[in-house]
Amino acid sequence: MAFNIAIDGPAGAGKSTIAKTLAAQMGFVYVDTGAMYRAMAYYFLQQGIAKEDEAAITAAVDGADVTIRYEDGAQQVYLNGENVTGFLRTEQVGNMASNTSVYPAVRRKLVALQQKLAETTDVIMDGRDIGTCVLPDAQVKIYLTASVETRAKRRFDELVAKGGTPDLKQIEADIEERDYRDMHREMSPLVQAKDAVLVDSSALGIDEVVAEIRAVVKRKL
Ligand code: DC
């Protein structure tokens, strides 16, 4: 059986940075499930479907073939044969993903794909429902979080580094709204699994978080 590490937590907690670093150190495959929800959301945007239109989204799910490939060790997301990885990390796509990931038809399709990936491969998978729903038997479960202020400041710095002039208060408000939606949806809301280890990265650097998680993994190996 494969060894699976599940990392869940809210937007901006550092899940992907930490999971990528751990995967590289341990020789595991990193699976970014948020990118899969984003690829679906990108498809709905392309089709001009409104985020509230559950019937249209449910009908459209079958037309979106999302597949994952690894090229030079990095996850690439393909939508109907086209590599869409470079289009997924915008606020527009992120918000559409948060809104459309509430629909059962979307979740059912992507959860099945995620479970298949983890069946035969040692993975570090990050998302919102990995420890609670996708991989309930994962050997290691981490709930990685940080305060809203810390997460907003990290996002702010990222945008400034890209030459933008972001509004910190607006970023905080967006993060709070996204947290609320991800934590209060009916199907598989973001919640800490009972057997997950809580790691708060507010006052920790990347290396410290990685070391903390490696210590948890070591106890399970
Ligand atoms: O991690 P991210 O920001 O790329 O995720 C985008 C959205 O996708 C997030 O707001 C909620 C949804 N998502 C989810 O519902 N379940 C997951 N396992 C991963 C992401």
Side-chain angles (χ1 to χ4, degrees):
M1 197 185 129
F3 193 97
N4 294 158
I5 300 175
I7 303 185
D8 290 299
K15 297 186 299 292
S16 63
T17 308
I18 299 299
K20 254 187 234 166
T21 309
L22 276 167
Q25 287 183 3
M26 299 173 59
F28 278 38
V29 169
Y30 166 51
V31 183
D32 170 2
T33 64
M36 299 179 189
Y37 287 93
R38 284 171 185 262
M40 278 284 211
Y42 181 71
Y43 178 74
F44 302 140
L45 286 168
Q46 272 186 331
Q47 299 293 310
I49 301 173
K51 60 183 191 301
E52 301 81 13
D53 194 346
E54 179 171 2
I57 285 174
T58 301
V61 161
D62 279 345
D65 181 33
V66 176
T67 50
I68 298 296
R69 289 183 213 162
Y70 290 87
E71 294 167 14
D72 296 327
Q75 173 178 297
Q76 302 293 319
V77 186
Y78 283 77
L79 172 65
N80 295 330
E82 185 201 349
N83 187 339
V84 293
T85 315
F87 304 116
L88 304 181
R89 303 249 29 118
T90 66
E91 296 302 311
Q92 187 198 20
V93 173
N95 282 327
M96 187 68 172
S98 175
N99 277 286
T100 54
S101 61
V102 304
Y103 300 124
V106 173
R107 302 206 72 81
R108 265 198 294 274
K109 176 162 178 153
L110 295 182
V111 167
L113 175 63
Q114 292 152 14
Q115 288 174 332
K116 203 163 179 330
L117 278 168
E119 226 170 62
T120 50
T121 310
D122 292 341
V123 295
I124 301 186
M125 190 177 281
D126 78 358
R128 304 292 188 287
D129 59 338
I130 310 306
T132 50
C133 167
V134 179
L135 305 176
D137 299 326
Q139 287 85 345
V140 172
K141 296 183 187 179
I142 305 292
Y143 189 83
L144 183 63
T145 190
S147 69
V148 171
E149 293 72 23
T150 306
R151 291 185 280 136
K153 181 66 172 48
R154 286 178 188 160
R155 183 75 188 132
F156 177 86
D157 290 344
E158 239 174 66
L159 294 170
V160 169
K162 283 186 191 157
T165 50
D167 173 347
L168 185 59
K169 284 287 153 213
Q170 185 58 50
I171 297 177
E172 276 187 23
D174 288 348
I175 284 185
E176 276 171 346
E177 192 186 319
R178 176 103 76 96
D179 283 358
Y180 187 87
R181 208 170 28 237
D182 292 349
M183 290 171 182
H184 290 85
R185 65 179 178 223
E186 212 165 297
M187 193 174 176
S188 321
L190 169 63
V191 55
Q192 184 179 340
K194 283 192 194 69
D195 49 353
V197 175
L198 175 68
V199 178
D200 187 329
S201 75
S202 302
L204 300 178
I206 295 172
D207 291 350
E208 292 166 300
V209 175
V210 167
E212 211 170 304
I213 297 177
R214 285 202 71 155
V216 177
V217 173
K218 210 168 158 195
R219 291 201 291 272
K220 302 278 180 168
L221 276 173

